[in-house]
Amino acid sequence: KSEQFNWDDYLKETESIAAPLHCFRQSRIPPTNDFKVGMKLEARDPRNVTSVCIATVIGITGARLRLRLDGSDNKNDFWRLVDSSDIQPIGTCEKKGGMLQPPLGFQMNASSWPMFLLRTLNGAEMAPAAFFKKEPPKPVPNCFKVGMKLEAIDRKNPYLICPATIGDVKGDEVFVTFDGWRGAFDYWCRCDSRDIFPVGWCSLTGDALQPPGNNVSITKSSAKIQSSPSKVTRRSMQSPQKSAPVPAPRGRKPGRGKPPGQSAV
Ligand code: MLZ
């Protein structure tokens, strides 16, 4: 078994600092996850955000739930923190005068939705209201700085949380760059995004933090390129991914990232 990723060592090796806790819209102590697989709840449809749908907890991972919308397929699962404002107890929508909607891509005829809804809720185990935690307040202003390290959800593989570096800052947005992945997974997000976490988050929630990729030498906050083989380089070479043919310098010139609003490659 290869040696474990260790933030303390990694921060020293990369001569970087961790983004301070108060930069993030995350609770200082991750919320407890009391949910159980099979429980039902209401969730905003990620593909049609004006719809509130019925979702089932398909998996539990740290402070997050793996959710699947009832009546949807198994190809569109999504992950939400237990203190996300996108989820709520069953009954909340109706109480507010809203109507539960079929998910985008509802697998049956739209006319069968009312009966489907009755059936899916009949005898269902509904997640108790106490399991839903209050979303932390928005941090203002954006206090991230280029070079700061964090843990971030890989939006192309949203079950993964990976070591990342702030590559750029513009207004309320930050450019999240994934260490060792040559930009393929990088994205812009708001500084109050629920997809970014302080260093140490995964070890508190019990999530498995992914090790950095091995496609580039390690990002230093000073933007220098690591030339001598270090412990980090050796470790990352043990990771299963193939090396890029021509490792490009990682040092990010200001403004190199995509502007906010454009999707990642
Ligand atoms: N094995 C996949 C996942 C990469 C995850 C990167 N996360 C920043 C791949 O190599 O594409």
Side-chain angles (χ1 to χ4, degrees):
K1 190 185 171 223
S2 64
E3 62 187 291
Q4 286 242 294
F5 177 77
N6 177 288
W7 266 120
D8 287 333
D9 296 344
Y10 189 67
L11 290 175
K12 278 192 203 109
E13 286 158 4
T14 57
E15 297 169 24
S16 336
I17 62 158
L21 294 178
H22 65 263
C23 296
F24 295 88
R25 188 176 199 177
Q26 302 293 352
S27 58
R28 200 171 45 81
I29 298 157
T32 51
N33 193 342
D34 301 314
F35 288 82
K36 300 280 171 287
V37 168
M39 286 180 165
K40 293 198 190 289
L41 48 95
E42 292 180 2
R44 198 191 304 279
D45 184 345
R47 297 192 291 164
N48 190 16
V49 293
T50 55
S51 285
V52 179
C53 303
I54 297 295
T56 302
V57 177
I58 296 298
I60 309 281
T61 159
R64 293 192 299 160
L65 308 170
R66 176 177 177 169
L67 299 173
R68 187 173 300 165
L69 299 180
D70 289 26
S72 179
D73 53 56
N74 58 4
K75 302 281 185 301
N76 290 286
D77 290 355
F78 56 103
W79 283 256
R80 288 294 175 271
L81 286 159
V82 300
D83 61 2
S84 164
S85 57
D86 290 339
I87 58 170
Q88 57 197 22
I90 284 175
T92 312
C93 181
E94 192 178 56
K95 233 182 279 170
K96 291 180 176 166
M99 285 243 285
L100 288 167
Q101 301 294 325
L104 194 89
F106 181 50
Q107 288 184 309
M108 277 170 249
N109 197 303
S111 63
S112 57
W113 171 245
M115 191 54 78
F116 178 91
L117 185 59
L118 283 178
R119 291 223 176 107
T120 202
L121 289 177
N122 188 256
E125 188 181 3
M126 303 185 192
F131 289 7
F132 298 81
K133 311 293 186 219
K134 207 174 130 57
E135 185 164 70
K138 289 185 181 188
V140 272
N142 182 355
C143 64
F144 288 101
K145 299 273 175 287
V146 171
M148 286 176 169
K149 297 282 185 195
L150 67 157
E151 298 179 6
I153 289 176
D154 172 353
R155 288 183 170 175
K156 290 184 177 170
N157 305 280
Y159 45 91
L160 297 179
I161 303 183
C162 312
T165 307
I166 300 293
D168 202 351
V169 180
K170 259 191 199 109
D172 284 343
E173 305 242 348
V174 293
F175 190 58
V176 176
T177 69
F178 287 91
D179 289 28
W181 290 97
R182 305 194 75 213
F185 300 91
D186 301 355
Y187 56 82
W188 281 96
C189 67
R190 290 183 51 85
C191 63
D192 56 15
S193 167
R194 303 306 316 280
D195 289 353
I196 55 177
F197 307 95
V199 161
W201 177 267
C202 285
S203 79
L204 291 174
T205 60
D207 272 301
L209 179 71
Q210 296 301 116
N214 67 347
N215 289 310
V216 206
S217 45
I218 301 309
T219 308
K220 284 193 175 188
S221 19
S222 54
K224 273 182 291 186
I225 306 302
Q226 181 117 14
S227 48
S228 60
S230 72
K231 205 170 143 200
V232 172
T233 312
R234 283 201 311 277
R235 176 179 46 240
S236 38
M237 286 167 96
Q238 294 166 356
S239 95
Q241 283 80 19
K242 292 182 289 291
S243 270
V246 184
R250 171 73 172 204
R252 214 168 262 288
K253 287 165 208 85
R256 189 191 134 187
K258 280 174 203 55
Q262 275 182 240
S263 58
V265 182

